[in-house]
Structures are given as C-alpha cells and as structure tokens.
Amino acid sequence: MTYQNYSLKQLQQIDAAHHLHPFTDHKELRETGSRIITHANGPFIYDADGTEILDGMAGLWCVNVGYGRDELADAAYAQMKELPYYNSFFKCSTPTPVLLSKKLAELAPKGIAQVFYGSSGSEANDTALRLVRHFWALEGKPEKNRIISRKSAYHGSTVAGTSLGGMDLMHKQLGGAVPNIVHVMMPYAYELALPGESDHDFGLRAAKAVEDAILEAGADKVAAFIGEPVMGAGGVKIPPMSYWPEVQRICRKYDVLLMLDEVITGYGRTGEWFAAQTFGIEPDTITTAKALTSGYQPLSALLVGDRVAATLVEKGGEFYHGYTYSGHPVACAVALKNIEIMEREGLVDRVKTDTGPYFAQALQERIAGHDLVGEVRSIGLMGAIEIVKDKATKERFLPAGSAAVTVRDHAIAQGLMLRATGDTMILSPPLIWTRETIDMACDRIARALDLAQADLRKK
Ligand SMILES: Cc1ncc(COP(=O)(O)O)c(C=O)c1O
C-alpha cells in the first residue's frame, strides 16, 4: 500500500491540508490531528501507531460480520473482473441486483417484495420521501404529502435526509428544509416519561403525539410517518414495546403510510433480520443500508411494500428518479455474500438468543451501578449508557456533552472505540462479538468510567 511510504505525521499533515471530514469541527481537528486507522481484523481496528482498539461501533453501525472477511473481498474481486459496472437504467439489469432483490424479498417482513437501490442511507431516504409522495399523487391525492417524523431523529445528511431528521443543529445550517415535514416527540422514557408513568403508558402517549399531528393537519394531508425503530444517532433510544404497534394502529386508522428507517437496525442488529420483526409491525417501506454489505461496499436498499409497489407499477408511468449506482453490481455481489455469511454463521439468531441477552445482563450488572451512570439500556447488540452527575436527580454535567466526551476519550485510551452523542455513550458492535468480547468491552468501559469520574469530580 502506498500509504506505507508516509509517516504517521505526514499522513496527518496531508489530511489536515486537503481532507474535509464529515460532521467535524475542522479547526479543532487540525489542531489535534486525526487518528489514522490503517487495518482491521475480526472485532479489532488498528491505528497507524499499531494500537489495537476493540471496535464498539462496528465502524459506523455497519460492519456486522466484522473485519478481514476474505470472502467479501473475493466476491468484489470476481465481480469486478466479470462486470465492474453496468447500470439498471434503460431497460437493463445485471445479475447481482436481480438475485439480491430476490434474497431481500425472502428476508423482509410480510408484505414487502420489491427493492430500490442507492449507495447510502441518505439516498435511500430521498427515494422513500419521493416515492411516498408520488404514491399519493398516483392515488389522486397529491395534497396528501405531509410527512411526520420525530425530534432528534436521524435520517441522513442530504437535504431530504436532514429535513426528515429532527436534529436542530443540522436544521440550523440547512437554510430551508424540504417543506411539509413536521416533528413530534420521541419515545425517550428516560427524560420524557412523567413521574410514576409506566413504560407501557409512556409508549402509548408518545404514539398519541403521532395521532395528534395527523389530526392537526387533517388525515387527507398526511402521507406518511417515518421513524427509526430504535433511534440510533440520537442516542440509542429504545421505545417501549407498546409504541410501535400503537403507531401502526394509528397510521392504519388514518390511512397514513408507515415508513421505517432501518439503516442501523436492518440486518440483524436487534436480533431479527429487521427491527420491524422485533417490534411486530408491517411497514410500507423500510430504508436499509450499512450492514447490507457490512460496510464493505456502499449500498442501500429501500424495501417497498406491496401496496406502494402495486400503485407504482400499475398506475405509474415513469418515476423520474434513480442514481448512476442504483443496483451497482459489485456492491450487490458483496451484499449477497455478506448475507450468506450471516446466514451460515447464524449471526442474527446468536444476537437474539445468546449475545444480545448476555450484553444486556453485562451492562446491567457491571456498568449500571457506576456513579456516573444514570441508565443503561440495550436491545440486541445496540446499547446506551447515560452519563449523569447525579443518578437520583438525573442532573447532567455542564457544558452539555462534555462528560460523555471525557468517557469516550478514556475508553479509546483503554482500547475500546465508543461513541458519545450528547451525554449518552453508544455501543453498536459487530455481531461477531462473543461473550468474551462483551466481557472485554465491559472491563474497558468500567475503567474508562472510573478514570472519567476522577477527572470530572476534580473540576
Ligand atoms: C437511521 C439512519 N438513517 C439514515 C442514515 C444515513 O445513512 P448514510 O450516512 O449512509 O447516508 C443513517 C446514518 O447513520 C442512519 O443512522
């Protein structure tokens, strides 16, 4: 690899001079220099100093089968030799997206059998937004175009993704969102449940916010509701089990489409292939990306339910939408192999029956009791740790978010890649993690919490 001709310092200098990173304060990064990750294997990543770090985030919620899978590299290589690219415009197709569509239709929840491809989750959500509005226009109801989303939702970083999302800081820099998108309360019991309110009742109340928004606009104006089954980037906010079935009931009552954004939860993270199955719902569209290829290739798949697909096909004419890389043959070849590996190794079932429950128990038994921890929660192999100054009152450290960054920095120094979002630590490891890996991660989190505590209480 040519980078080996460069020292770490040189790579950092070139990075600072030429590379604008996503979601980054560039001035700050240039002062500290970036961490250059050079290689990875199994559950570990390695930086240019050779430091081994256990990857608690599966890259960015995506490397579900872990690193160093020769089979995926071989699948990409073979496909590149045979046909590196051809498009699926002008009545053409290539074999791998055809076969991947069939496979996804088999795995998808009931009532979903069609797929539209892109290269990223953001693109897939653009497609979803356009598709549901197009659906209602084809149904003769073009004014039924409002989308209901949630505060703090993350649906990507394109203009449509940001507009669908509910991140205030992103909206502030947008200079004008896609019109007709409204945001309602999120199902985040830790901060929003009323004193004495049960989880079940809180879930119903959070769902009622969707109904209120429909009634406020008028059902004939509302196209769809969109939500992440478990809010990811917003802080692994896991709704009570009462929430999603009630949201589905409300959507059906008012004939509002239900769009799930499973860019994080899709492909096994919650212990089923899709979180729709975990929560027992049957959405009209499911946005997926990330773990579809375990991040080895950029690829997204919008899974389109029968009702929307039937209208698109029967009443459609041309849908003026698509991407150069829709159904990219190499990315689809890698996705097929990735799913084959997950099936062969039983990774999804392992999350459901073994590592998911063990992860939940380990977080409860070993992390929840720490003085800095207000709550731990998890579902499958995604989890969150709330960092607080006072467990009883849930008071946070100031300035907001600073304590979680302190914990994160100690965790990385202890050899565990953790993410901090606001005052919440996030875990979303590769699905190949075993009980031993979970123990290793908990040891490192516990040490990081102790060290952070010493720093924070000093201030
Ligand atoms: C729920 C959700 N939707 C959409 C996206 C956007 O995906 P991408 O970054 O591939 O555009 C993300 C990315 O993290 C996500 O978490």
Side-chain angles (χ1 to χ4, degrees):
M1 271 291 184
T2 43
Y3 75 79
Q4 276 147 353
N5 298 329
Y6 294 88
S7 70
L8 169 59
K9 192 110 215 105
Q10 284 172 322
L11 285 174
Q12 286 173 322
Q13 278 163 353
I14 298 168
D15 192 53
H18 301 293
H19 183 188
L20 295 167
H21 292 234
F23 284 92
T24 290
D25 176 337
H26 296 99
K27 190 155 189 266
E28 188 192 11
L29 179 67
R30 280 159 198 220
E31 279 158 14
T32 55
S34 49
R35 179 187 302 277
I36 311 267
I37 306 296
T38 52
H39 58 292
N41 196 26
F44 297 108
I45 53 176
Y46 298 85
D47 70 15
D49 289 326
T51 311
E52 180 180 275
I53 305 172
L54 182 62
D55 185 5
M57 279 303 298
L60 210 44
W61 324 81
C62 52
V63 188
N64 281 14
V65 299
Y67 298 93
R69 294 282 193 167
D70 288 346
E71 280 178 279
L72 295 183
D74 292 345
Y77 180 72
Q79 183 61 46
M80 280 190 197
K81 298 264 278 189
E82 192 169 310
L83 179 69
Y85 175 76
Y86 201 72
N87 62 68
S88 37
F89 287 54
F90 32 88
K91 296 188 179 164
C92 291
S93 212
T94 67
T96 56
V98 171
L99 297 178
L100 180 60
S101 306
K102 175 170 174 282
K103 185 74 213 172
L104 294 178
E106 282 164 25
L107 295 175
K110 212 168 109 220
I112 296 187
Q114 324 254 339
V115 187
F116 197 106
Y117 293 106
S119 302
S120 70
S122 302
E123 281 182 7
N125 277 333
D126 276 40
T127 301
L129 172 63
R130 294 198 47 191
L131 185 60
V132 297
R133 287 184 168 169
H134 185 53
F135 166 83
W136 286 115
L138 290 171
E139 290 288 324
K141 299 179 181 172
E143 70 292 346
K144 197 167 161 67
N145 68 359
R146 183 173 295 212
I147 313 279
I148 300 170
S149 175
R150 277 106 41 101
K151 295 181 176 126
S152 290
Y154 188 75
H155 295 299
S157 193
T158 53
V159 172
T162 303
S163 305
L164 287 169
M167 300 277 185
D168 289 341
L169 295 174
M170 291 176 74
H171 274 262
K172 276 196 188 123
Q173 291 179 347
L174 194 55
V178 173
N180 266 351
I181 299 173
V182 294
H183 298 87
V184 300
M185 77 180 279
M186 53 185 161
Y188 178 33
Y190 182 67
E191 283 194 352
L192 300 179
L194 301 170
E197 190 177 32
S198 72
D199 231 35
H200 179 86
D201 288 351
F202 172 71
L204 297 183
R205 183 161 66 85
K208 173 85 169 38
V210 179
E211 183 164 31
D212 292 345
I214 295 172
L215 292 174
E216 194 186 324
D220 56 343
K221 298 280 189 301
V222 181
F225 170 77
I226 185 167
E228 301 151 82
V230 176
M231 297 175 85
V236 184
K237 293 178 169 135
I238 306 166
M241 289 309 281
S242 57
Y243 179 76
W244 278 112
E246 179 65 2
V247 168
Q248 174 169 275
R249 187 192 67 75
I250 291 165
C251 287
R252 286 186 179 164
K253 178 171 172 194
Y254 297 103
D255 201 17
V256 165
L257 297 175
L258 179 54
M259 305 161 74
L260 276 197
D261 183 344
E262 296 225 30
V263 167
I264 286 175
T265 52
Y267 311 105
R269 184 141 301 281
T270 65
E272 300 281 355
W273 281 95
F274 299 96
Q277 294 149 334
T278 302
F279 289 105
I281 53 172
E282 291 170 13
D284 294 289
T285 62
I286 303 183
T287 312
T288 75
K290 293 191 188 276
L292 172 56
T293 60
S294 283
Y296 281 64
Q297 284 283 296
L299 181 67
S300 59
L302 178 72
L303 311 185
V304 181
D306 296 344
R307 181 181 179 197
V308 175
T311 296
L312 181 72
V313 174
E314 298 307 326
K315 299 193 182 171
E318 183 166 344
F319 180 37
Y320 297 104
H321 175 75
Y323 309 107
T324 299
Y325 298 127
S326 287
H328 193 288
V330 177
C332 291
V334 170
L336 278 164
K337 186 56 78 179
N338 177 57
I339 291 171
E340 185 187 313
I341 292 171
M342 292 184 73
E343 286 185 319
R344 190 179 67 220
E345 298 185 2
L347 290 180
V348 181
D349 198 49
R350 189 160 110 190
V351 171
K352 182 176 183 167
T353 59
D354 181 34
T355 47
Y358 189 80
F359 182 58
Q361 188 187 341
L363 287 176
Q364 271 317 329
E365 287 178 0
R366 302 186 49 196
I367 306 299
H370 197 280
D371 270 358
L372 284 185
V373 175
E375 176 181 85
V376 298
R377 53 180 179 269
S378 70
I379 182 166
L381 278 189
M382 68 194 291
I385 303 167
E386 297 283 0
I387 303 299
V388 290
K389 191 169 180 184
D390 186 317
K391 278 170 103 73
T393 63
K394 302 184 183 174
E395 183 193 347
R396 306 280 190 175
F397 287 93
L398 292 174
S402 57
V405 168
T406 306
V407 177
R408 180 203 61 197
D409 290 347
H410 279 299
I412 296 172
Q414 292 301 311
L416 173 68
M417 187 58 82
L418 266 190
R419 183 169 173 191
T421 173
D423 285 300
T424 310
M425 313 306 309
I426 291 175
L427 276 160
S428 170
L431 306 190
I432 54 162
W433 271 25
T434 59
R435 290 176 176 228
E436 290 70 36
T437 335
I438 292 169
D439 286 341
M440 184 190 291
C442 284
D443 288 345
R444 293 176 186 189
I445 295 169
R447 279 203 298 275
L449 287 168
D450 285 344
L451 292 165
Q453 164 134 315
D455 287 354
L456 291 163
R457 304 280 184 216
K458 236 186 287 165
K459 284 181 187 163

